[in-house]
Amino acid sequence: MRTLTSYISRFLLILIFFSAVSLANAAAKPGGRLIVIRVANFGWNLAANLKIDGQTVANIVQGRRYDHRIPAGRHVLTISAVPNIQLSQPTSITVNVRPGETYIFTALWDSDQVYLRPTTLSPAEMAKLGL
């Protein structure tokens, strides 16, 4: 019985140690906040497909936005329309995320092309959106 208790105690100590290391690593890599707003006239039957570094992170539908923390460093943001009935090419923009900074982009249409533009919203407009 004492041996079983000893194994369980060691297992719990190892688990606590690895949890502490994981939390320390997460705290050591602070990131920034990325917000992508989809314009109202994007299309009621279309979504903005957002990829970060080649991985799809969201399909932003009407009335929604992407608002998440991302790790610090250089990232490539790629946007496209889904469904892509016009067979337009996705467009990309590079952002260098600094810890504690907020990056706001707007997903727009122009000449049958979807692209991301850094926000031009005033502080009052951002407050109205809850940003």
Side-chain angles (χ1 to χ4, degrees), residues 36-43 46-50 60 78-81 86 88-91 93 104-121:
V36 177
I37 302 166
R38 178 186 177 272
V39 293
N41 65 354
F42 195 88
L46 295 174
N49 176 264
L50 176 65
I60 309 166
T78 303
I79 195 84
S80 61
Q86 296 178 348
S88 60
Q89 294 296 313
T91 59
I93 189 169
I104 305 172
F105 292 90
T106 305
L108 300 164
W109 276 101
D110 185 27
S111 303
D112 296 330
Q113 192 73 22
V114 179
Y115 68 98
L116 290 171
R117 180 182 72 192
T119 190
T120 56
L121 296 173

Side-chain angles (χ1 to χ4, degrees), residues 13-32:
L13 284 173
I14 291 170
L15 185 64
I16 291 170
F17 173 76
F18 281 110
S19 297
V21 169
S22 295
L23 286 174
N25 284 341
K29 297 179 185 175

Side-chain angles (χ1 to χ4, degrees), residues 16 78 84 92 94 116 122 124-125 127:
I16 291 170
T78 303
N84 189 359
S92 298
T94 302
L116 290 171
S122 69
E125 291 170 322

